[in-house]
């Protein structure tokens, strides 16, 4: 009886593995991210446990400069430095397919890494719906980009130095507007980005995710390149593919993908951070 049972057990085991693989729609490898995202993975960043605490954002490149995550951001910096040799990439949009995939964390750490390399770096908090960039550096965001767009204060007066780093600055988001996409789609934003491009060596722009709202797609037309952040074990293949398609429709220049949280096992739940379509 035992030999006859072995093939059945083997078939059932293979069937279970196939079903499990079919149901697991999450991006879990570099090859999968490149296949569905249509761009090269420039860096794989391991999970940092404190990232789960959204009330305590961590710039690991500054707090733990010798950690594996910090080393991954150095690798990302090197990859972008090579890309910048081929063409002038001075304004880079950092976004993700959906929420809570690590775009603001990636932008903060990448900015710190370029500043450590001696470049004058500006971080722009352009997520006008749920601005969070200021929390990473303890800066107030009540006045900033929207203040400049509306002409209420000169742009230069709204740029804030980040404490402890003479090469790193931030332009906060300003007061959240009732119509973010429409405000970002105006000529004034293009003029502001053009001015910032002349003032800094590198301008990194944080935006909402691609799929829930149209802000990132609108902004991608006004920058030199777009960096797409994907959370391993969380971002679905369909979401990544749809995000890449939406950016492709406006001919956005996606310079690469960051595969984030690569050491996490399985798909963790969200963080209560959601975007609406209203």
């Amino acid at each position: 009886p035992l030999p006859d049972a072995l093939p059945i057990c083997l078939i059932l085991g293979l069937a279970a593995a196939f079903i499990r693989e079919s149901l697991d729609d999450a991006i879990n490898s570099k090859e999968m991210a490149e296949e569905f995202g249509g761009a090269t993975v420039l860096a794989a960043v391991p999970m940092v446990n404190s990232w789960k605490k959204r009330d305590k954002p961590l710039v690991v490149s500054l707090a733990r400069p010798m950690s594996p995550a910090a080393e991954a951001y150095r690798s990302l910096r090197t990859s972008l430095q090579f890309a910048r040799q081929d063409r002038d990439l001075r304004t880079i949009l950092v976004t993700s397919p959906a929420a809570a995939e690590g775009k603001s964390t990636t932008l903060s750490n990448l900015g710190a890494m370029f500043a450590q390399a001696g470049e004058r770096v500006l971080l722009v908090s352009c997520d006008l719906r749920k601005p969070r960039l200021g929390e990473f550096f303890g800066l107030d965001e009540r006045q900033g980009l929207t203040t400049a767009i509306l002409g209420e204060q000169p742009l230069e007066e709204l740029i804030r130095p980040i404490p402890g780093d003479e090469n790193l600055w931030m332009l906060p988001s300003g007061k959240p507007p009732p119509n973010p996409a429409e405000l970002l789609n105006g000529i004034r934003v293009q003029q502001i980005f053009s001015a910032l491009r002349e003032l800094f060596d590198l301008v990194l722009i944080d935006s909402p995710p691609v799929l829930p709202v149209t802000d990132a797609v609108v902004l991608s037309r006004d920058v030199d390149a777009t960096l797409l952040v994907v959370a391993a074990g969380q971002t679905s293949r369909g979401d990544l593919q749809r995000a890449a398609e939406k950016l492709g429709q406006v001919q956005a220049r996606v310079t690469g993908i960051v595969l984030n949280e690569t050491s996490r096992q399985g798909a963790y739940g969200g963080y209560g951070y959601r975007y609406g379509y209203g």
Side-chain angles (χ1 to χ4, degrees), residues 91-271:
T91 54
I92 300 178
L93 180 73
V94 181
T95 187
S96 59
E101 292 176 322
K103 60 179 180 58
S104 300
T105 299
T106 299
L107 182 141
S108 300
N109 282 278
L110 183 59
M113 280 299 177
F114 270 104
Q116 289 173 12
E119 297 202 38
R120 290 168 50 85
V121 181
L122 176 69
L123 310 181
V124 182
S125 183
C126 212
D127 187 341
L128 304 184
R129 300 170 189 269
K130 294 183 179 294
R132 187 165 179 260
L133 202 55
E135 297 177 18
F136 286 86
F137 303 101
L139 295 179
D140 193 301
E141 296 212 51
R142 284 177 291 183
Q143 291 184 315
L145 179 62
T146 57
T147 314
I149 293 173
L150 298 175
E152 298 174 349
Q153 196 170 336
L155 176 64
E156 292 78 5
E157 295 179 4
L158 297 165
I159 296 172
R160 304 280 186 261
I162 290 179
D165 196 324
E166 62 181 11
N167 289 325
L168 195 58
W169 287 264
M170 176 180 160
L171 176 60
S173 65
K175 185 179 178 181
N179 54 343
E182 287 78 6
L183 193 67
L184 295 173
N185 200 26
I187 187 66
R188 181 61 180 146
V189 172
Q190 298 174 19
Q191 294 171 341
I192 288 174
F193 284 179
S194 179
L196 295 177
R197 203 175 186 279
E198 299 303 317
L199 292 173
F200 294 90
D201 299 319
L202 181 64
V203 180
L204 297 175
I205 301 161
D206 187 27
S207 82
V210 175
L211 295 180
V213 291
T214 191
D215 305 30
V217 174
V218 169
L219 289 167
S220 69
R221 301 175 304 182
D222 301 325
V223 297
D224 299 325
T226 296
L227 196 62
L228 201 53
V229 179
V230 174
Q234 175 181 328
T235 305
S236 73
R237 304 173 196 178
D239 279 358
L240 177 55
Q241 188 170 37
R242 284 191 293 273
E245 289 172 353
K246 289 189 70 172
L247 291 169
Q249 288 169 0
V250 296
Q251 299 181 330
R253 296 171 288 273
V254 179
T255 195
I257 296 170
V258 178
L259 188 57
N260 200 30
E261 303 180 359
T262 55
S263 55
R264 69 191 295 163
Q265 298 297 320
Y268 288 90
Y271 297 99

Side-chain angles (χ1 to χ4, degrees), residues 32-56:
M32 193 179 294
E34 292 179 341
E35 177 185 353
F36 290 91
T40 302
V41 171
L42 300 181
V45 183
M47 182 73 177
V48 177
N49 289 333
S50 58
W51 284 347
K52 299 177 186 178
K53 302 176 182 178
R54 289 187 60 83
D55 58 329
K56 297 180 180 179

